[in-house]
Amino acid sequence: MNLHQLRFVREAVRQNYNLTDAAKALFTSQPGVSKAIIELEEELGVDIFTRHGKRIRGLTEPGRLVLESVELIMQEIDSLKRIGKEYAAQDSGSFTIATTHTQARYTLPKVVQAFMQKFPKVRLSLLQGNPQQIAEMVQRDQADLCIATESIAGVNGLVTLPCYQWEHVVVVPPDHPLLRTRQPTLEEIAAFPIITYDGAFAGRSKIDHAFSLRGLKLDVLLEAIDADVIKTYVELGMGIGIIAGMAFDAERDKNLRAIPVGYLFGMNVSRVAIKQGAYLRSYIYTFIELLAPTLNRKLIEQAMSGEKENYEL
């Protein structure tokens, strides 16, 4: 048994059981991957994969247990490598953050700037996607951590901690009738065409839920993942926007006005998620603390060890 065999098994599953794609991802040959998997099955005395002819189609029951062990072993191998790299160079290395557009555009710039001033030798990468996609990036070790709203909470294999709270705002032109009311009702908002986020982003589910509870039909004219796009179409007079409060800047958005509506849709919590059992380099702890000063190293380590039940904002 060797590490190459374990890598081949894991990559075969990640590539939806396509051994050709698995071989390409690992820069080797398809026959070599197939032969190594068969040799591992012979050594273990069980079939890891179900087959149709020469093609693998899925995992057997013992294969699922084998995969769980493979994932744990490979995670420990990765941790050993990271430990060596960190102690060889405490202030340099690579760091990949997976996040949504809203976080990358409005929350992270100042945090990233402060981080890079502290660690100029670190190669920082930002990957963007919807909450499900960025959670999978961490699960698959494509990113060190991910940041999104509470939709990443409860994802298997991830430890999530709350960073900060925010509320939605309704954005309208300066002369809009909703500005005559200090706190517009859901009924008053529903009377206008709505421009807001795609269903997977920025607390959209809370918006839909609030209107549904009141039996109101939401006239969604346009959905987007980018608050700048939403604001552009509001400025054109096509409807009113509902965006994350962090995405509105009175100085920058001079042609719009914002109405806080947390009283209608509730507060949202942005979270940071880390893979359970992952080894975190010291500068990753620093980044998390820059993002959320309440999340110090001791608290993060407690959460990683399972002591996180009572920590909420």
Side-chain angles (χ1 to χ4, degrees), residues 291-307:
L291 176 68
T294 55
L295 297 180
N296 56 48
R297 182 165 185 156
K298 180 179 179 181
L299 191 150
I300 297 167
E301 289 176 340
Q302 288 175 343
M304 295 286 281
S305 68
E307 302 175 33

Side-chain angles (χ1 to χ4, degrees), residues 50-168:
T50 59
R51 290 175 170 82
H52 185 269
K54 293 185 178 181
R55 294 181 177 275
I56 63 173
R57 296 298 189 188
L59 287 166
T60 63
E61 186 61 33
R64 282 190 282 271
L65 297 176
V66 169
L67 180 63
E68 289 179 9
S69 292
V70 166
E71 292 285 7
L72 289 173
I73 292 168
M74 298 311 298
Q75 184 171 311
E76 290 302 318
I77 295 294
D78 290 341
S79 291
L80 285 172
K81 291 179 180 178
R82 289 170 184 162
I83 290 170
K85 286 180 181 178
E86 175 168 351
Y87 280 92
Q90 292 279 355
D91 62 348
S92 64
S94 61
F95 178 25
T96 303
I97 301 165
T99 190
T100 61
H101 174 87
T102 297
Q103 302 292 334
R105 172 69 177 82
Y106 302 106
T107 302
L108 292 184
K110 290 183 179 179
V111 178
V112 168
Q113 183 182 40
F115 176 81
M116 295 309 297
Q117 288 174 348
K118 286 178 175 287
F119 300 99
K121 297 179 183 178
V122 173
R123 298 185 305 278
L124 183 64
S125 300
L126 284 178
L127 303 178
Q128 291 185 45
N130 65 38
Q132 180 181 345
Q133 290 168 337
I134 64 175
E136 289 174 355
M137 290 176 192
V138 177
Q139 289 175 318
R140 295 180 178 183
D141 298 315
Q142 296 168 336
D144 296 290
L145 56 81
C146 64
I147 306 162
T149 53
E150 59 265 55
S151 51
I152 60 172
V155 175
N156 288 337
L158 299 187
V159 175
T160 65
L161 287 167
C163 297
Y164 59 89
Q165 291 183 320
W166 57 269
E167 65 178 325
H168 287 98

